[in-house]
Amino acid sequence: MCRIKKIMFGEDELKRIVSDLADKINSDIKREGIEKLTLLCVLKGAAVFTSDLARRLDVPDLRLEYIRASSYGMGDVSRGKVEINGLTSEIRGADVLVVEDIIDTGRTLAQMREYLKEKSPKSLRFCGLFDKPDRRAADFEADYIGVRIPDEFIVGYGLDYAEKFRHLPYVAVVEPSGAIENDK
Ligand code: 5GP
Ligand code: MG
């Protein structure tokens, strides 16, 4: 089975990262006079982050919506193909901020951008809590990034390994699969 190797961000650090991100977003939407914002959470990974971020955003009319993107199988190996579905509402004419857990190759959000553009939102922006810039394969940069991290597979605070660890209040690195098998 898979084991936690080391903690990368504790609860207090995560709080600070989310609060700094919220400050940036708040100042931009205030400057632009946006009073109605649709926060579009990419399930499942971004659910925990979205709920913390939403509670720090200072918008008179904040809508919380969900969409699903699956780019990974049951482990930590990307299949390259992204499936997008399950958008819960109409976004035509809306100011939309997509909230994602982590940007890795960038394929998920590059495809998400095309998928959502077709639906004619008024504006479309992207926020990622974590970013692994060294792994980028698609042409995609987010408007807001919480923190850049090295190329390590992380879990916790919504992020999973084969559907486990999403509930951890901290973010940790797990042992790579090869080492796990030998570590009985
Ligand atoms: P991308 O399309 O940018 O390569 O992949 C983004 C998706 O891959 C994320 O939404 C997330 O589901 C998954 N992913 C990428 N890196 C990690 C990681 O370190 N840990 C976990 N749990 N998921 C990751
Ligand atoms: Mg994801």
Side-chain angles (χ1 to χ4, degrees):
M1 275 308 293
C2 178
R3 285 200 334 200
I4 299 293
K5 191 161 111 186
K6 63 172 191 241
I7 293 182
M8 192 180 269
F9 300 104
E11 278 187 75
D12 289 346
E13 273 176 296
L14 289 169
K15 260 188 201 144
R16 184 186 47 76
I17 293 164
V18 174
S19 141
D20 287 352
L21 255 179
D23 287 350
K24 269 187 230 150
I25 298 169
N26 279 333
S27 79
D28 283 359
I29 51 190
K30 191 169 179 197
R31 196 185 50 243
E32 292 171 32
I34 293 175
E35 298 203 330
K36 181 174 169 180
L37 181 70
T38 299
L39 218 52
L40 187 55
C41 169
V42 183
L43 291 173
K44 302 175 190 172
V48 176
F49 167 44
T50 303
S51 75
D52 282 346
L53 181 69
R55 285 176 286 177
R56 290 182 180 274
L57 292 184
D58 192 13
V59 193
D61 185 348
L62 186 94
R63 309 288 168 106
L64 206 45
E65 302 292 348
Y66 300 88
I67 192 164
R68 204 181 163 95
S70 342
S71 57
Y72 274 68
M74 286 297 283
D76 59 358
V77 182
S78 174
R79 289 177 303 178
K81 199 184 167 309
V82 181
E83 218 181 280
I84 297 171
N85 55 49
L87 181 60
T88 46
S89 79
E90 173 72 59
I91 57 161
R92 181 177 298 274
D95 287 301
V96 176
L97 177 62
V98 178
V99 184
E100 173 65 306
D101 51 5
I102 183 164
I103 304 160
D104 187 26
T105 63
R107 287 190 191 111
T108 304
L109 290 189
Q111 289 183 47
M112 179 76 74
R113 183 175 53 199
E114 298 316 305
Y115 179 92
L116 293 174
K117 262 193 198 162
E118 294 277 298
K119 305 194 179 296
S120 313
K122 183 173 165 204
S123 70
L124 185 59
R125 274 181 267 204
F126 292 84
C127 169
L129 177 57
F130 302 108
D131 186 21
K132 290 185 194 169
D134 298 346
R135 296 254 310 157
R136 202 69 89 251
D139 181 21
F140 183 86
E141 291 310 322
D143 302 275
Y144 304 97
I145 287 295
V147 61
R148 296 199 159 78
I149 63 165
D151 180 13
E152 288 189 283
F153 194 82
I154 56 171
V155 297
Y157 198 66
L159 289 141
D160 74 312
Y161 178 91
E163 294 302 327
K164 294 197 309 189
F165 307 117
R166 292 193 196 275
H167 65 295
L168 299 180
Y170 52 84
V171 165
V173 180
V174 285
E175 299 271 5
S177 323
I180 297 155
E181 290 308 310
N182 297 330
D183 189 27
K184 294 253 163 67

